[in-house]
Amino acid sequence: MGAEDDAEADAPADSGPVPATHPEDFAREHEAKLRSVLADVRSETPDLEDADDLSLELAGLNLGRRDFVKAGMAVGAAGALAGCAGLPGGGNADDSNGSAPGHAVAPGEHDEYYGFWSAGHSGEIRIVGVPSMRELMRIPVFNYEAARGYGYDDGTRRMLEDAGGYTWGDSHHPNLSETDGKYDGKYLFVNDKANGRVARVNRRYFETDAITNVPNVQAVHGCCVQSPDTDYLFANSEFRVPLPNDGRDVNDPGKYASVFTALDPESMDVLWQVEVDGNLDIVDTDKDGRWAIASAYNDEEGVEVEGMTRDDRDYVKAFDVPAIQGAVDAGEFEEVNGVPVVDGTRESALNEGDDPIVRYIPTPKSPHCVEVTPDGTYAMVAGKLSPTVSIIDIERLASEPDPAKTIVGQPKVGLGPLHTTFDDRGQAYTSLFIDSQVVKWDIETAVNSPKGSEDAILGKIDVHYNPGHIQAVQAMSTEPTGDWLVALNKLSKDRFLPVGPIHPDNDQLIYIGEDAADETGGMELVADEPVYPEPHDAIFAHRDKIEPATVWDPADYEGEKEYVTEDKARIDRVDDSTVHVYASSKRSEYGPREFSVREGDEVTLTVTNVEGSRDIIHGLAIPEYDVNLALAPKDTREVTFTADRPGVYWIYCTYFCSALHLEMRSRMIVEPRS
Ligand code: RUQ
Ligand code: CUA
């Protein structure tokens, strides 16, 4: 299976309605296109010798086979993993020198870290225990989700409707709020690339409590909190559109704009935006509250791939946040759709002189990520189409007149570098999308070596296959722990039992706690984890930093919703066509046990789970009325619907709560009007 050449295995039959184009032809075409783009970068990066290293073997063609051969295990690797229960710690399968601790967590024991995964176009956040890699829970954010009743009760439905009424989102970059550079356990923020939104998850109840539909943008990609104290939430708009996008300038791409947005993390209101040249991509901040540093591509402002990759340079933007706030306070903006928009393009008057509000730092074309080191010294910008990582010295941003000179190192790391993460020992790890590897390198050695040098490289490990983000534990805070790293691989190909043409992704757990002078620099692959498509990024916090509630505190929704005790259960007829039903729920009954409404009534149902016992959850479903609530202990939910079909409707509990769960019912009678 896996040892076969993918292209041959997938070759179409010669007959039938589909032209018999061999998959290899497409792979070759793609490879040729990418090769031409990379070649441009090489010719413009004279420091890089050794051009042969740039030859490609891309995902669609030989990657699966190459990596199996490289791992020296061929089909055996899959077999070893499938049987990994017998291995010490639950699975040190390949690339192992055997010193990694096991990642298995014994039954009844807890993981050391929480991992929060974005879920891509599934739209949610997933909570995964590390190191076990067990998925613990999902938090719906931009999606509708029945098990948690998200999008079904009035509160969450209204929140989703007010945020644009979209039925899905594309969550990419989860961020944890910080105080003094450390995760403070308060909020998690995440972007929606699809519909240009950002959302906040409350980490007491692990529920989405706010979604902001950002004006003047299409596709919010990069998203981060400002270190060290979460004074702002930043969001990058990726796609360039007319400003405002109301039909003007549709045929004049030169007038399209991409903006950098600042939000207030408490109110989730948009505070201001900065218009820039190029497409913004990823953003991270320094640790002192001054600079937000964003990668960007398409400085050419093209609208198709050839135009977007034509030039050899793109420009990272360093936003001087206090200076921009000063410009906003001084009224130096134009208001667009109610948002102050500051001009941060190169031609802007605010960028003249010695203290521009946005610094444009030249990098090889089309870089992808920006990640700031835990000590705040450097920002790493991975090349994507260049085999290098550009190291920006953050202190120089304020003092160096020539922005190009803020780049103090540019190690050559391998093909397709996308994201960088850090341990607690001054070492960096970069994902190599095209090479399907993680490369470990020493930061100070890279700064002290000539640009394009490989001196800083400590080792490489194969991953399976095509990693996007990689994240090490707590690496986005000032407290990296340096023990575990996860590579979020976009393709799993032959790693798991086949489940049809749409494959799971493959998140791989790598132990990085030990440095060694071997091929991998001490990195050890410890586990494969199939994941539902398609997480982009993850962030981890030690369990001591997170204190979730196990029971709701009704004081948190006082004034919004009534806490309905058993003796307060009742039916209030508001007027001829409106009824408000107040209900309680406990093991194993609802109060009231039945109620009647009239055909055509608008019914609001307020239901409280009056139990305070941990993990005793009740549901409330009304068949054929699309009503579905999940009620955690001491929580109250409301739902409004129109009782437009006369008849008997059995209300039942969806969470298995007791031996009398099946009997936990109530009856809604809808009386005919006539
Ligand atoms: S981006 S890898 Cu949002 Cu790198 Cu996906
Ligand atoms: Cu309550 Cu089942």
Side-chain angles (χ1 to χ4, degrees), residues 172-173 221 282 368 418-419 468-469 490 536:
H172 275 225
H173 303 111
H221 193 196
I282 305 290
H368 184 50
L418 289 189
H419 289 279
H469 273 269
K490 303 295 188 192
H536 279 255

Side-chain angles (χ1 to χ4, degrees), residues 114-116 125-128 136-141 148 150 176 185-188 200-209 541-543 545-550 552 637:
Y114 283 92
F116 300 92
I125 291 289
R126 302 191 188 137
I127 308 174
V128 174
L136 305 174
M137 187 38 78
R138 298 179 174 197
I139 306 171
V141 181
R148 295 183 60 140
Y150 185 78
L176 298 174
K186 228 172 139 187
Y187 296 125
L188 178 148
R200 185 179 67 194
V201 171
N202 167 323
R203 283 209 339 272
R204 190 156 144 70
Y205 295 115
F206 281 58
E207 286 203 355
T208 304
D209 68 5
H542 192 271
R543 62 186 182 198
K545 295 188 177 293
I546 310 281
E547 277 178 82
T550 52
W552 273 80
R637 297 281 153 163

Side-chain angles (χ1 to χ4, degrees), residues 179-242:
T179 300
D180 198 21
K182 303 173 173 73
Y183 299 143
D184 61 15
K186 228 172 139 187
Y187 296 125
L188 178 148
F189 301 93
V190 67
N191 68 303
D192 168 16
K193 166 154 171 167
N195 301 304
R197 298 179 292 178
V198 283
R200 185 179 67 194
V201 171
N202 167 323
R203 283 209 339 272
R204 190 156 144 70
Y205 295 115
F206 281 58
E207 286 203 355
T208 304
D209 68 5
I211 306 177
T212 300
N213 194 356
V214 181
N216 303 328
V217 309
Q218 209 161 84
V220 163
H221 193 196
C223 168
C224 76
V225 299
Q226 187 190 44
S227 280
D229 292 317
T230 319
D231 290 327
Y232 296 92
L233 172 66
F234 297 124
N236 274 352
S237 85
E238 185 176 350
F239 303 157
R240 299 177 60 80
V241 288

Side-chain angles (χ1 to χ4, degrees), residues 32-42 305 309 365-366 385:
K33 176 165 256 170
L34 196 43
R35 196 191 295 272
S36 74
V37 171
L38 291 179
D40 288 342
V41 171
R42 183 180 52 203
V305 66
T309 54
K365 78 168 125 184
S366 299
L385 298 184

